[in-house]
């Protein structure tokens, strides 16, 4: 009981403005369980937690400070000139003047928002017979979610409390930090076991319990085959990351996981955000984009890998995803932001400025000299909660094939080709969900709400990228093209995953930051532990205090090289696609 009281107090301490939004927009699908249905209620409650599958407003708002993860990973950025004087400290990774993790609370949120996993064990303990058979499925599905969240935190912090951190009311609230590789191996084995158990567990459920699962499982509607496929997709993702330091274990999981992967994008509509919700932008996550659009300009590391030949979009040459990911400029073309702020200064001073808000699409179209992420597709939309997309699976399989980690049945280049087709389908689907700008007229309107190109056009472009991938020599050059595609596909949807992949693979190579003559190539490798650990978990924390900085690598990083280029990515007018 004492531990439960402490838990409740902690939840109150870590509450924020997100709670206000949750209060204003009640969830009509929130399940109020009967006393004999606590397990199902805890499962659904966890699916609805922010920062898991449903993205968090405050999390994104803080990330888009201009000094957060998306900026340092060059996923999104400001249109930087010397008016932003603080960028002179862009390379400061020690004193907190550069890279910032303000508002990032994944360490604490992991334990607080996964509290149901520990408590559900206590609910199951007295159950027997059919009551147990009808309830244990929720514990297994919740374990899949916990396993994913666990390894996401390892990717961010390296060592974390794990093995003794979740044991219901019998566990330790504050405990030692565990070896990150041991956590990875344990979680992968856990996922393997669950993938094998789920069909049998489901078959033992009563018809009424199976019907209840359909209602409670707002993500996959009780489709156990999809949960097995999702579990295997997670095994694939994390085994690929493990492969650099434990190839044998990774290969074993990859070989099994690829036998039964998702055959469609796994995502679900947010059940408690109405399409007409009176929020700025779209749903709660989009509010962060709406309030910080001046940090949603697209860096050249992404934009110049989609746009070629001429600055205008050319359907038979450019990436077909370009008009649904990016907004055109006032020139009706696409221009990325360079990290060479000094070179941009005369352009900015010459009148190529911008409208830094997301409240008026027409004003934006008349003023923006650089391309932002699409207000239509992202900011003014209610995006589904994405669990795993086919595009990401294809790119993981491409790496598997390129590094001979398993036999996939296709070449790495063919997986790259599949990824572009699936990614294009997904991004046009997201764009189609938005009603914003539906009454906008003129040529510009056709760019922001475009008709999806024909299959022939999409396939033709995908084949160009495949050919470029096949033509480059060496795994390092192939990984550059592969990670360019991962950046394009995931961009603002999954900045945490992209930052992890950047740090692991050292690709795609980023542009240096040049500000007032100072050339900077900072390489943040991880987040720091919350300061509260020193006062609340001091004995354990002091054993890992040497890791508590921005520069100690995550265990799966094997390449100590910089992930920066020595030059800048330029737009080569008149040339066909170039992925260098």
């Amino acid at each position: 009981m004492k531990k439960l009281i402490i838990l409740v107090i902690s939840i109150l301490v870590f509450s924020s403005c997100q709670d206000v939004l949750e209060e204003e927009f009640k969830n009509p699908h929130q399940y109020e369980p009967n006393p004999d249905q606590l397990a199902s209620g805890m499962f659904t409650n966890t699916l609805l937690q922010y920062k898991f599958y449903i993205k968090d407003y405050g999390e994104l708002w803080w990330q888009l400070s201009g000094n957060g993860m998306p900026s340092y990973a060059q996923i999104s950025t400001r249109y930087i000139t010397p008016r932003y004087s603080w960028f002179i400290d862009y390379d400061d990774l020690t004193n907190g003047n550069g890279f910032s993790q303000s508002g990032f609370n994944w360490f604490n949120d992991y334990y607080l928002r996964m509290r149901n996993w520990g408590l559900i064990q206590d609910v199951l303990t007295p159950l027997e017979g059919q009551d147990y058979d009808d309830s244990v499925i929720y514990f297994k599905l919740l374990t899949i979610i916990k396993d994913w969240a666990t390894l996401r935190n390892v990717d961010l912090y390296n060592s974390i409390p794990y093995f003794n951190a979740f044991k219901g009311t019998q566990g330790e609230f504050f405990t030692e930090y565990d070896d990150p590789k041991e956590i990875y191996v344990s979680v992968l084995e856990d996922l393997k076991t669950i993938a094998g158990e789920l069909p049998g567990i489901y078959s033992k459920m009563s018809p009424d319990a199976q019907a209840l699962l359909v209602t409670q499982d707002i993500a996959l509607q009780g489709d156990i085959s999809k949960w097995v496929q999702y579990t295997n997709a997670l095994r694939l993702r994390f085994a690929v990351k493990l492969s650099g330091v434990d190839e044998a274990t990774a290969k074993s999981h990859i070989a099994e996981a690829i036998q039964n992967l998702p055959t469609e994008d796994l995502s679900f509509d947010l059940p408690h955000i109405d399409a007409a919700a009176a929020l700025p932008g779209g749903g709660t996550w989009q509010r962060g984009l709406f309030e910080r659009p001046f940090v949603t300009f697209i860096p050249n590391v992404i934009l110049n890998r989609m746009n070629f030949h001429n600055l205008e979009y050319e359907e038979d040459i450019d990436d077909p995803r370009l008009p649904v990911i990016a907004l055109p400029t006032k020139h009706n073309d696409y221009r990325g932001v360079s990290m060479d702020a000094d070179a941009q200064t005369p352009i900015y001073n010459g009148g190529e400025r911008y409208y830094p808000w997301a409240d008026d699409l027409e004003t934006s179209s008349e003023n923006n000299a650089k391309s932002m992420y699409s207000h239509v597709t992202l900011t003014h939309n209610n995006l589904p909660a994405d669990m795993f997309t086919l595009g990401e699976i294809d790119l993981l399989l491409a790496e598997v094939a390129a590094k001979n980690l398993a036999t996939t049945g296709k070449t790495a280049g063919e997986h790259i080709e599949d990824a572009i087709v699936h990614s294009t389908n997904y991004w046009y689907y997201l764009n189609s969900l938005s009603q914003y700008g539906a009454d906008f007229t003129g040529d510009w309107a056709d760019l922001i709400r475009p008709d999806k190109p024909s299959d022939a056009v999409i396939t033709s472009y995908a084949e160009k990228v495949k050919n470029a991938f096949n033509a480059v020599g060496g795994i390092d050059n192939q990984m550059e093209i592969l990670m360019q595609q991962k950046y394009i596909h995931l961009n603002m949807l999954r900045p945490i995953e992209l930052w992890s992949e950047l740090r692991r693979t050292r690709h795609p190579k980023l542009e240096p930051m040049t500000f007032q003559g100072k050339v900077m190539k900072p390489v943040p490798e991880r987040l720091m532990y919350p300061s509260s650990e020193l006062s609340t978990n001091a004995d354990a924390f002091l054993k890992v205090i040497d890791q508590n900085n921005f520069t100690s690598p995550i265990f799966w990083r094997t390449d100590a090289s910089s992930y920066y280029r020595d030059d800048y990515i330029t737009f080569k007018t008149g040339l066909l696609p170039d992925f260098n």
Side-chain angles (χ1 to χ4, degrees), residues 363-375:
T363 301
S364 176
S365 72
E366 294 170 351
N367 290 276
N368 279 344
K370 300 288 184 178
S371 290
M372 308 173 82
Y373 280 105
S374 174
H375 299 338

Side-chain angles (χ1 to χ4, degrees), residues 285-475:
W285 179 76
Q286 281 79 9
R287 180 170 176 171
L289 285 167
F290 180 87
E291 293 180 357
R292 296 269 191 160
F294 42 85
V295 197
T296 62
F297 287 93
I298 306 180
N300 280 341
V301 71
I302 292 180
L303 192 65
N304 279 3
R305 270 62 183 269
M306 290 193 287
N307 193 25
F308 313 96
H309 190 251
N310 291 314
L311 290 171
E312 304 84 29
Y313 173 63
E314 298 168 279
E315 187 180 75
D316 57 338
I317 294 175
D318 295 329
D319 192 317
R321 295 166 290 187
L322 180 59
V324 287
I325 291 178
L327 286 181
T329 70
K330 63 183 181 182
H331 306 290
N332 281 14
D333 58 22
Y334 294 88
R335 308 184 187 198
V337 171
S338 171
M339 300 307 289
D340 186 350
D342 290 358
Q344 287 189 149
T345 300
I347 299 172
Y348 178 84
N349 291 340
E352 292 292 275
R353 304 200 175 192
Y354 64 89
Y355 181 74
W357 307 110
D359 58 342
D360 189 334
L361 191 58
E362 191 162 5
T363 301
S364 176
S365 72
E366 294 170 351
N367 290 276
N368 279 344
K370 300 288 184 178
S371 290
M372 308 173 82
Y373 280 105
S374 174
H375 299 338
V376 176
T377 307
L378 289 172
T379 312
H380 291 272
N381 203 351
N382 288 293
L383 299 180
D386 61 309
M387 299 175 71
F388 227 111
T389 59
L390 292 178
E392 183 185 355
I393 291 172
D394 294 326
L395 293 170
L396 288 167
L397 291 174
E399 184 172 349
V400 168
K403 294 181 176 179
N404 296 314
L405 298 175
T407 301
T408 67
K410 291 185 177 182
T411 67
E414 289 170 336
H415 286 303
I416 293 277
E417 186 175 15
D418 290 344
I420 293 171
V421 172
H422 288 141
S423 176
T424 302
N425 291 338
Y426 191 65
W427 276 98
Y428 273 86
Y429 160 68
L430 295 182
N431 181 263
S432 72
L433 298 177
S434 175
Q435 299 304 308
Y436 184 62
D439 57 350
F440 203 86
T441 59
D443 294 339
W444 206 75
D446 295 332
L447 292 176
I448 63 170
R449 302 184 63 83
D451 292 330
K452 182 181 174 184
S454 68
D455 290 345
V457 168
I458 297 170
T459 302
S460 175
Y461 180 78
E463 188 173 4
K464 291 177 187 177
V465 182
K466 177 190 72 174
N467 292 340
F469 178 89
N470 291 338
V472 298
I475 188 64

